Amino acid sequence: MLREFPVSIQLEKRNVPSVLFSAVSPLIALALTLLAGAVLFTLMGHNPLEALYFYFVEPLTETWSLHELVVKATPLVLIATGLAICFRSNNWNIGAEGQFIVGAIAGAAFPVLLPGFESFAVLPLMMICGMLGGMAWAFIPAFLKNRFGANEILTSLMLVYVAELLLDWMVRGPWRNPEGYNFPETRSFSGWQVLPEMLTSGRAHYGALFAILGVLLMWFMLAKTMKGFEISVIGQAPRAGRFAGFNPKATTLFVFLVSGAFAGLAGIAEVSGAIGQLRPSISPGYGFTAIIVAFLGRLNPPGIFAAGLVLALSYLGGEAVQVSLQMSDKVASVFQGMLLIFVLGCDTLIHHRVRISRTGTDAASVGEVKNGTV
Amino acid sequence: MGLFEAILLSIVTSATPLLIAALGELVTERSGVLNLGVEGMMIMGAVSGFAFGIMTGNPYLGMLGAIVTGALFSLVFAFMTITLVTNQVATGLALTILGLGVSGLWGEAFVGIPGVRMQPIEIPLLSQIPFIGKLLFAQDLIFYISILLLAGVSYFLFRSRAGLTLRAVGDNHVSAHALGISVAKTRYLAVMFGGACSGLAGGHLSLVYTSQWIENMTSGRGWIALALVVFASWRPTRVLIGAYLFGAMGILQLHIQAQGVKIPSQFLSALPYIATVVVLVIISRNRRLTMMNTPASLGKGFVPDR
């Protein structure tokens, strides 16, 4: 059985987290992902170097694709920044995808219901409504956790399915464009209902600015304010937090509402800036990919900013190899899954020393074998 | 066969994968490991079951492939959370994301291709009993397995020495370690049992429930199975009740849709998910019940002192 395994891996807790590995563990994870990717491409019958080039380098060589990178990184960074404070405080909001969708629906109410309302005031109103929509959806699991002790992982996730069905119903039912030849979509936004592009050279819209501001705001809160300290303490040492007089329920509500607002803003920014209307599907799983972004960024806002660009590249690369090598774009989600696995595995190095020893030469494991045979 | 009988039959078919996946996860959680990757392991079971099914032309070999794939896939999770002591919640999510991705890639060639399907096995004499005979004794093999699994898991957990060991590891891994029980070995086996069950449940979807591969065909069933374990407060027999309640809900909403009721279909489709939330709330309100039954070490990593 397991005791006969030729090598054994043993962990030893470090007294203080390793500064070195805190910095390099995401990089090791990236390297491992590239290595595993090369193996995957080889198995699929492609030249691994060529495939990796098309996947990770080629999308960075043209202006339009750099714009696409920003377009895709925008929702990822926004959502992940909000999720970071949830995860830091041990609140597992994994329903950001649902909050993204409900935010998009709430924000789209203005252009859909009041198509003539095109003054500049409509844009901020849409963004605020988007945030409120995301907050409302995130409020449900937070409230159910605080009031009834219901597991927030499961409730927030179930609400993703409900949100997807709600959107599907809206665009096929009450909000369908009457002049749209029966296509399941709302009317196209116009004038000030559209979040404008930042540069004339491509599609990147002002949502990217929200993402940058969000990162700065969150960085400030976590590093400089009492609230940020409270969030970290409650996550890492709940007992100490209670002694300090921090209220875990208030924190749960706070982090859910903030992350809901961020996801909702990402949703309406995506719909208003990148898509221009509501459709049955408005996200290639940004809400779930943002979980990877949050962990790759080590739950730190600046790290999340960089990680958002990496994961955005994983989407672009998937599209690129589909075109250049006729590969399936599903490769992207395989890459994303592998990346998260490697990130979590490498994070072990931060808090533990890893000892790999050959079974049989190690005194401790000899003892184990004896125990097993008695 | 009347409509009522047909509905009952389809409820059994839709409840079976929920029951199997939830029983597997129940054993995993009883050992103190929270594996949120059920959805990912199930979808891997579904795609591999389909693949091995059409490769061999035999649905039973396909199912075997699904079980083995589920167990091997869960090994990734076991290595991460038990050997490397990673965060179980995050790792479970990673397993689900990876499973959905890999299955999508692997299954791309299978979209629209007819697969193989398991046929019902009629048990002589018993299946002749009016009404319940057809319902309980003329089912596919997996239904019988699910019932045997229920009995087996109940017996194992509460009547066997190994089951006692497993529960001890789940309730207090420090004491169990001090008693000389290998926490890691127990948990590896429990996680792999959960993976095998999830694989089987996924295989049921692509070899019994339908005979085709559809991307993301588990559509949240793995998550519902996770909720069922909480609903059952970690008791196998209550998993049976929960699985059939949810199976019934899924089927009834389909029938209401088919009757052409004026309610938008999306609202009916959302019912099982909303019901999961409601059920979680009702169960969790009773703090005493959940506190008493939740394995005390659930979700906590274990690094032995040396």
Side-chain angles (χ1 to χ4, degrees), chain A residues 102 214 326:
Chain A
V102 174
Q326 284 76 48

Side-chain angles (χ1 to χ4, degrees), chain A residues 68-147:
Chain A
E68 286 305 308
L69 189 75
V70 175
V71 168
K72 292 200 158 58
T74 297
L76 290 174
V77 170
L78 263 176
I79 301 170
T81 313
L83 289 182
I85 63 164
C86 281
F87 298 165
R88 268 172 179 254
S89 64
N90 238 338
N91 283 291
W92 294 96
N93 175 12
I94 58 170
E97 181 84 358
Q99 293 142 24
F100 177 94
I101 291 171
V102 174
I105 295 174
F110 282 101
V112 172
L113 299 175
L114 302 166
F117 181 30
E118 287 191 16
S119 90
F120 73 94
V122 70
L123 199 54
L125 281 173
M126 283 167 68
M127 297 302 140
I128 290 167
C129 275
M131 293 171 86
L132 290 176
M135 285 166 92
W137 212 243
F139 173 78
I140 303 171
F143 172 76
L144 297 180
K145 180 182 182 179
N146 280 346
R147 182 80 173 72

